[in-house]
Amino acid sequence: MNLFTAIEKRHSYRGAYTKARVPRSALRRIVAAGLKAPSGCNAQTTTFVIVDDPRKMAVIRTLHPMTAIRQAHAIIACVVHKKAPPTFHGRDSFEVEDCAAAIENMLLAITALGYGSVWIDGYLRERGRASRLNRLLRVPRNRTVRVMLPIGVPAEKVRRPEKKPFGHRAWFNRHG
């Protein structure tokens, strides 16, 4: 699938997955796409934990009631510093932006490979869920799981929500 087709087809999939497993070779390709994302000052501080161990997946399933989490065969956790250090030039860190760029690359790769996923973020920051996930995945104390991507083969076709037309959100040379 070419890039523009993947962009056109990409959407958040929150539904059920089939029993088909996601092979490690596909998981590796997906994360490799994330690793190729740009990062501020090329610091490359975002790291990832790919979870496909059935015992760990069973624990992760208890953290979120969403069907996509409960039926996922694998999850990719995006890990960032809790308090990001300044960049090489002493400026603010771009760690949140770096994580976001990597996540979108991975979501496009997931789509291109025929899998489904959804970006799980805010839910992790409630009720100590990220802390529980950090302990399970042995994330160092100065880092935390910021985003989680459940991955599987969608069991149902979901129509991508309509996007507003270009002229409602983008203009040349001035806003509006």
Side-chain angles (χ1 to χ4, degrees):
M1 176 180 309
N2 79 40
L3 173 65
F4 290 99
T5 301
I7 290 169
E8 234 0 88
K9 290 182 176 242
R10 194 217 128 0
H11 66 279
S12 295
Y13 183 78
R14 296 174 176 86
Y17 292 117
T18 69
K19 295 193 182 296
R21 309 236 20 107
V22 179
R24 280 194 168 183
S25 59
L27 294 168
R28 185 178 289 277
R29 285 184 76 190
I30 292 162
V31 173
L35 294 171
K36 288 179 180 16
S39 66
C41 299
N42 199 33
Q44 302 179 55
T45 58
T46 306
T47 58
F48 305 93
V49 178
I50 305 161
V51 183
D52 63 356
D53 177 275
R55 290 174 303 221
K56 288 187 181 196
M57 288 299 299
V59 174
I60 292 170
R61 287 183 183 107
T62 68
L63 296 176
H64 201 302
M66 182 185 290
T67 301
I69 298 285
R70 297 207 179 262
Q71 292 191 359
H73 296 288
I75 286 177
I76 297 171
C78 180
V79 179
V80 299
H81 285 96
K82 285 183 180 175
K83 183 175 181 345
T87 64
F88 302 121
H89 305 291
R91 292 189 212 112
D92 290 339
S93 170
F94 303 106
E95 200 149 340
V96 171
E97 294 87 345
D98 297 349
C99 174
I103 292 296
E104 187 59 21
N105 272 14
M106 289 189 293
L107 287 168
L108 289 170
I110 288 166
T111 300
L113 293 172
Y115 300 109
S117 187
V118 60
W119 182 319
I120 307 289
D121 184 347
Y123 197 84
L124 292 172
R125 290 179 264 151
E126 298 172 353
R127 299 183 187 160
R129 290 181 184 104
S131 295
R132 289 170 39 206
L133 198 52
N134 292 341
R135 285 190 300 277
L136 176 69
L137 304 180
R138 296 184 178 177
V139 173
R141 291 187 193 274
N142 66 333
R143 298 178 69 82
T144 189
V145 174
R146 178 63 191 244
V147 176
M148 190 166 71
L149 298 178
I151 303 169
V153 177
E156 54 198 88
K157 288 267 188 210
V158 177
R159 193 163 165 240
R160 178 184 176 178
E162 289 295 319
K163 299 296 180 181
K164 293 179 182 177
F166 186 94
H168 289 180
R169 295 182 57 207
W171 306 272
F172 288 97
N173 302 315
R174 69 176 183 86
H175 192 279

